[in-house]
Amino acid sequence: MNTIILTGDRPSGSLHIGHYVGSLKDRVKLQEKGEMFVLIADIQAMTDNFDNPKLLKESSYEVLLDYLSVGINPMKSNIFLQSEIPELYELFTYFLNLISIHKLQHNPTIKTELNQKNFKTGLPLGFLAYPISQASDILAFKPTYVPVGADQIPVIEVTNDIVNKFNSIYAAEVFEKINPQLSDCPKLVGTDGLKKMSKSLGNAIYLKDSPDTIIRKIRKMRSDPEHIYIENPGKLEGNTVFEYLDIFYHDKENLLKLKNHYTKGGLSDGKIKDILAETLIEYLRPIRERREKLQKDRSYLNSVLRNGRERAREVTSKTLSEVRNAIGLASSQE
Ligand code: TRP
């Protein structure tokens, strides 16, 4: 059996360095291990942005550009739009019967997100049901690996509930239990040094940020707020500048020297921020350059999406015919 890897992101704007260290970097490696499918979850993004269609379209291209510029290779991996795979909607319809509203309302991922959002006219059914839609995204591909962030674990639990119910009700072995693959890199803290890096918190550095933007964001970053006089010792704990240097600065020996200097006193926060800015600008340079080039070629971008769509439909339509058979729907094709 060949190895299938399925993963994806909700397009809500361009991706940041937290996404890069948390998942994108892993995906570039994973695409060597099997056939990878990367889903741009525009239908899922609709569940909380249905009234902002322009944002959906542009964000989908932004995410695609980020994928391609970090090195997800469309010759090896299939990148596609969720909205272009009707099989996913069909599977969703069958799965809707297998999960109760009560269960979804108590799902930790849904609960956390509901607290952050403010649905003015009541809770939309589409939003409440998105874990079922995500279960369809996953199961339609029968993946071997599903790399996701820890926040997605409750959604994978819904997926596995569906696997159990489906297989037992329809006395079939169509689906296998999913074991999520958690990234070994913990969430990257934002430039505020307080919360996880996130678009909505305004504490993110984007893969597409220009050198000037990077410099500006890093100057405002949290280092050691008690390090007022350069000659005094500075602290490394809770110092976000050093946290980032640990991840992005390659010369570990020199980094140790910088840390010693800083904790002894005599190295300014301005200086370490300059070093970090320079490090990140260099780190992101090839990504940014590739992105700028690709951005101008919408027809190439669309060809990537078309190829992804074709292959995704090939795989999912096979699953769907097994599903219809297992359920025992009548068929005029017989
Ligand atoms: N929920 C994921 C996010 O918020 C996006 C997503 C949709 C996804 N379908 C998926 C992730 C299937 C992995 C597998 O980004």
Side-chain angles (χ1 to χ4, degrees):
M1 215 179 74
N2 49 353
T3 304
I4 291 196
I5 303 142
L6 182 276
T7 184
D9 298 283
R10 223 184 264 189
S12 61
S14 56
L15 302 174
H16 51 62
I17 58 173
H19 292 118
Y20 185 69
V21 298
S23 63
L24 297 176
K25 220 171 142 191
D26 267 1
R27 292 182 195 170
V28 174
K29 284 196 217 129
L30 264 175
Q31 68 185 342
E32 308 297 336
K33 295 218 174 123
E35 185 174 12
M36 187 160 78
F37 290 88
V38 190
L39 163 140
I40 300 176
D42 54 351
I43 293 289
Q44 189 176 115
M46 265 189 88
T47 62
D48 61 342
N49 267 302
F50 54 87
D51 49 358
N52 201 349
K54 198 158 174 242
L55 174 115
L56 282 171
K57 181 170 178 182
E58 282 320 305
S59 296
S60 294
Y61 283 109
E62 287 292 299
V63 170
L64 172 62
L65 278 168
D66 286 327
Y67 288 162
L68 297 172
S69 43
V70 299
I72 295 181
N73 179 352
M75 303 302 280
K76 293 182 184 153
S77 303
N78 310 290
I79 307 173
F80 63 96
L81 294 164
Q82 184 188 18
S83 60
E84 293 197 324
I85 316 296
E87 287 75 11
L88 300 180
Y89 315 155
E90 183 180 337
L91 197 54
F92 172 63
T93 308
Y94 304 141
F95 287 169
L96 276 172
N97 300 312
L98 305 179
I99 297 286
S100 73
I101 291 179
H102 181 265
K103 196 141 206 183
L104 292 170
Q105 278 172 329
H106 289 85
N107 185 285
T109 307
I110 289 279
K111 271 164 75 176
T112 314
E113 284 178 72
L114 270 180
N115 281 332
Q116 294 160 355
K117 294 180 208 305
N118 181 17
F119 289 116
K120 293 188 188 69
T121 50
L123 170 59
L125 206 43
F127 181 80
L128 184 65
Y130 96 71
I132 304 181
S133 153
Q134 186 161 335
S136 317
D137 301 339
I138 296 172
L139 294 174
F141 290 89
K142 300 191 174 186
T144 329
Y145 297 116
V146 183
V148 287
D151 58 325
Q152 300 289 302
I153 289 177
V155 178
I156 303 289
E157 279 166 14
V158 173
T159 307
N160 284 332
D161 261 7
I162 291 176
V163 170
N164 286 335
K165 287 231 177 79
F166 188 94
N167 288 349
S168 85
I169 294 172
Y170 302 111
E173 294 289 323
V174 178
F175 299 114
E176 275 176 43
K177 213 168 155 252
I178 299 295
N179 288 313
Q181 270 230 310
L182 295 182
S183 150
D184 48 8
C185 188
K187 293 274 180 224
L188 188 68
V189 70
T191 52
D192 56 2
L194 301 170
K195 297 227 171 93
K196 177 185 119 178
M197 185 171 284
S198 150
K199 180 175 178 248
S200 54
L201 297 172
N203 63 2
I205 295 176
Y206 293 94
L207 295 173
K208 67 171 188 184
D209 276 349
S210 69
D212 283 349
T213 309
I214 295 176
I215 291 169
R216 184 173 48 76
K217 288 181 176 173
I218 288 178
R219 289 233 171 99
K220 284 196 298 195
M221 221 167 132
R222 182 188 163 96
S223 45
D224 172 5
E226 284 161 25
H227 188 220
I228 297 165
Y229 301 105
I230 299 174
E231 58 278 16
N232 286 354
K235 268 206 308 282
L236 299 178
E237 304 85 69
N239 189 323
T240 318
V241 177
F242 277 103
E243 229 172 287
Y244 283 18
L245 283 171
D246 273 333
I247 298 172
F248 298 103
Y249 193 86
H250 280 310
D251 187 345
K252 298 297 169 204
E253 214 172 292
N254 203 39
L255 181 56
L256 200 62
K257 281 190 198 145
L258 288 171
K259 285 181 177 174
N260 285 335
H261 191 179
Y262 188 76
T263 48
K264 247 191 331 202
L267 182 59
S268 73
D269 291 82
K271 181 75 190 156
I272 57 163
K273 286 181 177 178
D274 284 348
I275 294 171
L276 175 60
E278 205 181 302
T279 306
L280 267 182
I281 290 168
E282 281 316 306
Y283 196 97
L284 298 178
R285 182 186 303 281
I287 297 176
R288 191 171 53 246
E289 286 175 354
R290 224 174 306 163
R291 204 180 194 284
E292 276 163 16
K293 221 183 278 165
L294 290 167
Q295 195 168 19
K296 299 188 193 112
D297 199 349
R298 194 51 83 103
S299 72
Y300 169 71
L301 298 178
N302 285 335
S303 75
V304 169
L305 293 175
R306 272 198 306 275
N307 291 336
R309 166 179 178 269
E310 207 167 293
R311 178 69 186 130
R313 289 202 68 188
E314 221 168 75
V315 174
T316 56
S317 58
K318 194 162 157 282
T319 305
L320 259 299
S321 60
E322 288 173 40
V323 164
R324 280 185 228 114
N325 259 329
I327 296 175
L329 295 167
S331 166
S332 60
Q333 313 292 311
E334 265 174 18

